[in-house]
Amino acid sequence: MGLHLTLLGLAAVSSQMAEAQDTPKQEATPEHPNIVFILADDMGYGDLACYGNEYIKTPNIDRLYATGTHFTQAYAGSGISSPSRCALMTGKNNGNARIRDNQCYAGGMTGLKISPNGDTTIVRRANLLPEDVTLGTVLGAAGYRTCLVNKWHLDGYDIGAAPNHRGFDEFYGWTIATVHSNSPYYYPYYRFHGDSLIHIQENEHDAHVRHNTEISTDDAISFIHRNKERPFFLFLGYDAPHEPYNIDDTSWYDEQGDWSMNTKRYAALVTHMDYNIGRLLKTLDVLGLREKTLVIFASDNGAAVQAPLKELNCGAGLKGRKGQLYEGGIKVPLIVNQPGRVPVRQVDNLVYFPDFMPTLARLAGSEKALPTQTDGMDISPLFFGGNADTDNRYLYWEFPGKQRAIRHGEWKCVTVKKDAPLELYRISKDKNEQQNLAEEYPELVKELDEQMQRMHHYSPNYPLPEEPQPQE
């Protein structure tokens, strides 16, 4: 026993020495800040009080909004999780990215998918490969300590494609490859710390003690404490409010007698996430890091069909929902906040997830680490009171062979059904996509269709029947 403790003590000392040697002398500064990126899961454009919701309480996110810059025309990388996060992490749109749908058509790996009701099916998924450059890779090249907490969703069924093998120094969360690592959803017993699968003892035997939003926030706060004297990049991917809507504490909304339990739990998941974001922000304040930390908040796509879309106006009246390339599926809230640097203002420029790769590289000073080709642009001037010509370009999305969409200036061309005619909307005057102008402007539809065809590139994971495979 004594020898065992001695060895543990020596290991701890060795670990502390290694960490001290690895710690750079420089600290984050307001000009090269720490970066905390918080991503909600399946939260609609209209779910936040600051974005007009009259029912859901989000005081901490509202404070970020009121004291920072918010965007009115920000778009996710896709209408569902994996391709949206791939666009965010790699700077490539769906016509170029490694992962373009939650499931792939060829290649990749097969594995089990567990539905909310417990049913299992075998599906095929793609995953990021070692040669893919991620935000973790780029910011790590600038000397940032990088950490991803909770949801990654880019490993497919390759256990070796977890975030700590794709550019991130630290990882605390769950993976698709290990299907039980986030089951039961929101009160998990299993969780990864790097490559180690640990147990959340309080949740043993399906006990509902530690909610995953709290666990994830605890992991994030611990990371900040350990790295308070060095620049860091923290990506905190909450599960909330993804279905199944599983939270025992609905006290914020128990007085809403006419709400269903589904509606109460959905709203509670958002408010509970907001409360935990407040905990994280308080940590930054207590440690004196707030003025040299850029905080970004967004959602990975629109609200799901299971959400109380009508009761709570989750989609803010936008057409469509998660899984579709209408506005309700891809338009998301985006807030950036850094006291003393980010002004209080509204920005109406067109921006989307591929922009974050060059933008964060610019903030960290690691532009040389960028991949040779990205589909985004540096939008950092918009964070700090400046301007950027973001509207004179094409933003593109696709579910290969199923749905396509393109945004250029005030126009959006879209179809959400295979082989269906393209629809055309003037978003500047019709943000809810109610008046299809395709017959009125056929030449514009043709032009945007041709542009979409140019922006789609062959993928071995998503080959189309009519698409010839490139010759090597």
Side-chain angles (χ1 to χ4, degrees):
M1 183 69 173
L3 178 59
H4 179 64
L5 289 174
T6 301
L7 290 174
L8 285 176
L10 288 173
V13 171
S14 298
S15 176
Q16 292 169 4
M17 290 177 61
E19 185 174 347
Q21 292 171 354
D22 186 48
T23 303
K25 294 181 180 179
Q26 73 272 20
E27 295 182 7
T29 65
E31 293 73 28
H32 292 286
N34 302 311
I35 299 167
V36 175
F37 199 120
I38 304 170
L39 192 67
D41 195 350
D42 290 5
M43 193 189 73
Y45 184 78
D47 274 334
L48 300 174
C50 52
Y51 272 83
N53 194 282
E54 299 177 356
Y55 309 100
I56 303 177
K57 302 169 185 176
T58 53
N60 294 293
I61 300 173
D62 294 349
R63 198 171 301 114
L64 287 175
Y65 177 105
T67 59
T69 291
H70 69 275
F71 290 75
T72 64
Q73 295 197 90
Y75 289 93
S78 179
I80 54 176
S81 188
S82 289
S84 184
R85 291 161 193 267
C86 187
L88 175 59
M89 281 291 163
T90 67
K92 297 181 179 180
N93 65 36
N94 307 144
N96 241 346
R98 180 78 62 193
I99 301 173
R100 307 183 185 190
D101 203 337
N102 273 1
Q103 300 174 28
C104 63
Y105 313 157
M109 299 176 68
T110 58
L112 289 178
K113 179 181 180 181
I114 303 177
S115 69
N117 63 13
D119 293 340
T120 60
T121 54
I122 296 177
V123 300
R124 182 179 296 275
R125 297 182 187 267
N127 57 268
L128 289 189
L129 299 181
E131 60 264 32
D132 292 318
V133 177
T134 69
L135 286 177
T137 312
V138 171
L139 293 177
Y144 280 58
R145 183 72 177 178
T146 60
C147 177
L148 188 138
V149 174
N150 199 50
K151 185 168 181 178
W152 170 241
H153 230 252
L154 301 176
D155 56 294
Y157 292 112
D158 180 0
I159 196 169
N164 52 312
H165 297 283
R166 297 293 183 267
F168 286 87
D169 297 311
E170 301 183 33
F171 165 54
Y172 307 93
W174 58 278
T175 66
I176 304 170
T178 307
V179 292
H180 62 278
S181 62
N182 198 41
S183 180
Y185 213 67
Y186 287 121
Y187 292 97
Y189 176 57
Y190 298 97
R191 190 169 179 83
F192 278 102
H193 284 189
D195 289 331
S196 298
L197 192 60
I198 68 157
H199 294 158
I200 307 298
Q201 297 292 349
E202 298 94 326
N203 291 341
E204 190 173 11
H205 305 305
D206 293 333
H208 286 195
V209 177
R210 293 190 69 198
H211 195 275
N212 197 42
T213 297
E214 297 168 356
I215 297 169
S216 298
T217 307
D218 289 346
D219 289 336
I221 288 173
S222 294
F223 171 79
I224 292 172
H225 273 282
R226 292 195 306 274
N227 293 278
K228 61 181 180 294
E229 295 180 355
R230 64 182 299 167
F232 60 79
F233 171 50
L234 168 64
F235 186 92
L236 175 53
Y238 285 118
D239 290 328
H242 192 290
E243 54 86 27
Y245 307 130
N246 195 350
I247 183 169
D248 293 345
D249 181 8
T250 59
S251 56
W252 300 279
Y253 304 102
D254 286 344
E255 75 281 3
Q256 301 291 342
D258 57 340
W259 286 16
S260 69
M261 279 307 300
N262 183 71
T263 299
K264 291 180 181 180
R265 286 172 180 149
Y266 182 90
L269 283 168
V270 176
T271 300
H272 184 236
M273 174 177 63
D274 177 87
Y275 168 78
N276 280 278
I277 289 172
R279 290 177 56 212
L280 186 145
L281 295 174
K282 183 177 180 180
T283 299
L284 293 173
D285 286 333
V286 169
L287 295 177
L289 298 176
R290 193 64 188 87
E291 292 185 354
K292 51 185 179 181
T293 301
L294 178 72
V295 176
I296 304 170
F297 177 85
S299 178
D300 69 339
N301 47 249
V305 66
Q306 298 92 340
L309 296 168
K310 293 182 179 179
E311 296 90 335
L312 300 185
N313 195 28
C314 302
L318 299 174
K319 186 176 183 177
R321 38 78 179 168
K322 174 187 176 180
Q324 296 179 327
L325 297 182
Y326 288 130
E327 295 289 277
I330 57 175
K331 189 176 181 181
V332 294
L334 174 62
I335 301 168
V336 295
N337 188 292
Q338 185 185 353
R341 292 211 71 214
V342 172
V344 177
R345 70 167 183 161
Q346 173 177 302
V347 173
D348 301 320
N349 294 62
L350 292 176
V351 299
Y352 75 150
F353 277 10
D355 294 332
F356 282 107
M357 173 71 84
T359 299
L360 299 189
R362 173 72 174 181
L363 293 177
S366 57
E367 295 97 324
K368 291 182 179 179
L370 286 170
T372 54
Q373 189 271 329
T374 64
D375 295 310
M377 64 177 291
D378 173 18
I379 61 171
S380 61
L382 299 176
F383 293 0
F384 305 113
N387 199 8
D389 185 13
T390 64
D391 296 357
N392 189 30
R393 58 175 177 153
Y394 297 95
L395 311 186
Y396 179 65
W397 302 265
E398 67 172 50
F399 291 113
K402 301 174 184 177
Q403 300 186 43
R404 296 185 295 154
I406 193 168
R407 184 79 198 268
H408 183 245
E410 64 177 345
W411 295 99
K412 181 180 176 185
C413 196
V414 59
T415 180
V416 299
K417 295 181 180 179
K418 184 179 180 181
D419 300 325
L422 289 167
E423 303 165 24
L424 181 69
Y425 300 99
R426 180 179 271 146
I427 300 297
S428 61
K429 298 181 179 179
D430 181 21
K431 64 180 182 180
N432 296 340
E433 297 169 300
Q434 298 299 303
Q435 187 177 5
N436 181 6
L437 301 175
E439 292 186 3
E440 190 173 341
Y441 297 95
E443 290 302 315
L444 179 56
V445 172
K446 180 182 178 182
E447 175 190 332
L448 294 175
D449 183 18
E450 291 172 350
Q451 187 65 37
M452 283 192 282
Q453 293 179 42
R454 285 192 289 269
M455 297 182 80
H456 168 81
H457 299 275
Y458 173 82
S459 166
N461 295 124
Y462 305 91
L464 303 181
E466 70 280 6
E467 191 174 30
Q469 182 172 345
Q471 298 296 316
E472 295 185 1

